Amino acid sequence: MDAGNDMTGDVVGNVNDDHDSDHESRSDAARAGRRDEAVRAAVEQGLLGPTTPVVGLLDVTGIQESAAALRTAFDAVTAPGTPVLHAFAVKATPLVPVLRLLREEGIGAEVASPGELALARAAGLSPGRTVLDSPAKTPAELREALALGIAVNADNPQELDRIAGLMRSAVSRSPIGIRVNPQVGGGSIEALSTATATSKFGVALRDEGAREWVVRAYAERPWLTRLHAHTGSQGIPLSLMAEGVAETYGLAEEINRRIGRPQIDTIDIGGGLPVNFRSDATTPTYADYARVLREAVPGLFDERYGLVTEFGRSLLAKHGTVVARVEYAKSAGGRPVAVTHAGVQVATRTVYAPGAWPLRIAAYDGKGRPKEGPDVVQDVAGPACFAGDLLATGRALPLLEQGDYAAALDTGAYYFAHHYAYNSLARPGIYGFAPDGAGGIAFATVREPQSVEEIVAESGGAHAAALTTLRAPGGR
Ligand SMILES: *Cc1c(COP(=O)(O)O)cnc(C)c1O
């Protein structure tokens, strides 16, 4: 499973026209330039240094550009007036200021837990721009979502029964759909492939009797007006994603035909656009995917259906950078090892599954300037106390020395916002950056760094004597 990022070339080459690729590569280069400026400014302004040796940085301009690219891509292929909701998959970057920024860019939220729903609400997202999908919604969660009027996709027949029960006892404005798994197959990363034959998500459409069950479910429940599939994620080729959408569209057509009216009015195509982790290039683009979809499923765009999308990784990944100070530089078995403050706590997937999730590492000197010098094969290690806590092994980079900085690139989604509390390592501060209008960089706090006091409190500090004073009632 080493081909995690090797899956897009086949389709992309055919659909990218020159005009778009010029524009894309200019904005990709500009993003890399902004990143270098931000690292330097973070060191200069003291956000990063000996006492705060790791931070997460978010490129506000880049996030705005990706949001605009998403809107433009689908505007270009949908009939005028088609309702389109782009709902950001909150799990990719569960940070309230990010959700608010996206809201300002016209992007809604896809949530999958009470916590994610609370984040979306704290960011000011309205129920009409929020979608709830989770494979394990409790009755209380469903009741809350229906009371608020949030769109809900039922994962399975038991959940649909629960929703039906709630719909009988109260009126709800919530649009309701069923999530199906078109079972078109997986990609190169098993753990992220949602459309395999035995995926835990949705109603497995090709299982015996399943398709009939779905058609009947709609026929018996006129309030079922949406159909949902999410056939990502990272590691899935565009052609396979399009096949999943085509299967879903075909089912919606069949249901509406058999019921005799357009009961399904909205198709939720999920997210899952893969991200290129090998360079600064944005490939595939939203425009690429929209064009592939339009070719594969023209009927989806002819104004009979509203659309919902649920992109996560592709909106944020390239706009985040973890920067960590090199505490020590040593050598072991002839190999240089830079011991940094970024490891499993901020890059959990990469550390545990380095073959599927390799990250690019950039070297900066002690002033935050891109490091010059010949490439040296070295390991970049994290601070955690287990041998495998490595951000990169055998990587050719200018030699990292004590007091330098190592940056893990493309970590804006599913990385530093997904802290793993190994060794009680603190959650780093996260700062958004943008040009300050005077040739410099301005930062805004997105999340405060976690303090040691908070770590103690979150680790049962208030209950220190709980176990030593535990007594059975009436015990000795
Ligand atoms: C995770 C998830 C997404 C987003 O996937 P990305 O690969 O981050 O785009 C969208 N929809 C559902 C239902 C998901 O579980």
Side-chain angles (χ1 to χ4, degrees), residues 255-273:
I255 291 168
N256 285 347
R257 193 171 58 244
R258 286 174 60 182
I259 295 177
R261 63 188 186 87
Q263 180 174 321
I264 295 178
D265 60 22
T266 301
I267 298 183
D268 180 338
I269 64 169
L273 193 72

Side-chain angles (χ1 to χ4, degrees), residues 87-93 110-112 132-135 153 179 192 194 201 228-234 241 268-275 286 309-315 349 413-414:
F88 173 63
V90 170
K91 75 168 183 281
T93 309
E110 185 262 358
V111 299
L132 173 64
D133 300 326
S134 115
N153 290 312
R179 176 168 183 173
L192 267 78
T194 54
F201 292 113
H228 175 223
H230 165 63
T231 54
S233 176
Q234 186 70 18
M241 292 177 64
D268 180 338
I269 64 169
L273 193 72
V275 166
Y286 288 121
T309 73
E310 304 172 343
F311 296 102
R313 181 177 291 105
S314 53
L315 264 170
R349 273 183 172 154
Y414 303 102

